[in-house]
Amino acid sequence: MLNYRTLDIDDLDILLDAAVEFFAESRFSNIPMDVGRSRAVLSAFLCSTEAAVFGALDGDYVAGLLIVERMPDLWADREFAQEIALYVRPAYRSTRIGSDLITSLIGWADSNALAVRMTIDSGIVDERVANALERRGLQRRGWIMGREAVV
């Protein structure tokens, strides 16, 4: 049975394990991953009062994760919840984990009077994620354009 909860610093190692798998599956996998940097960034999110890390746990195994950060709006006197990462491990896809994590994000945003912005950019079932977000009341807006750094 899955346990949904907000993760904390004691969950860093199991969260990092899921993040490593997420990175390896993503469209960014051709870039060398700096695990030490990832550990530090995840630690900062776990300890921040301006962020939340939601997890779907199967025992001590992170089956799914969603990281969100509170951000100021450049254009108006408001803040929004910006999704940083949403990932469901392959064996747990086609379950309700993604939808349940999105529900956690929306609840956190609503309790903090925040608008919600999500970026779908991992290259992992992006269209399915967009459809799930639409079912939860989010709307498609604009385009994401990107370019990797030239080294």
Side-chain angles (χ1 to χ4, degrees), residues 28-54:
F28 304 105
S29 63
N30 62 324
I31 303 166
M33 181 178 187
D34 183 339
V35 176
R37 177 175 172 76
S38 296
R39 175 181 285 280
V41 171
L42 290 172
S43 178
F45 281 124
L46 290 167
C47 294
S48 175
T49 58
E50 299 297 311
V53 181
F54 303 107

Side-chain angles (χ1 to χ4, degrees), residues 13-109:
D13 289 335
I14 61 172
L15 179 62
L16 181 61
D17 180 64
V20 168
E21 183 175 318
F22 180 12
F23 182 82
E25 188 180 354
S26 78
R27 67 176 189 81
F28 304 105
S29 63
N30 62 324
I31 303 166
M33 181 178 187
D34 183 339
V35 176
R37 177 175 172 76
S38 296
R39 175 181 285 280
V41 171
L42 290 172
S43 178
F45 281 124
L46 290 167
C47 294
S48 175
T49 58
E50 299 297 311
V53 181
F54 303 107
L57 301 172
D58 189 352
D60 286 335
Y61 185 76
V62 176
L65 63 94
L66 194 153
I67 303 171
V68 61
E69 185 173 28
R70 182 184 201 120
M71 303 287 292
D73 193 316
L74 177 64
W75 310 111
D77 185 18
R78 67 179 187 155
E79 295 179 312
F80 60 92
Q82 175 65 56
E83 167 267 341
I84 304 299
L86 170 61
Y87 180 64
V88 176
R89 291 188 191 231
Y92 294 88
R93 293 188 190 142
S94 297
T95 67
R96 293 207 37 90
I97 290 176
S99 181
D100 291 343
L101 290 169
I102 293 164
T103 298
S104 296
L105 161 64
I106 291 170
W108 184 79

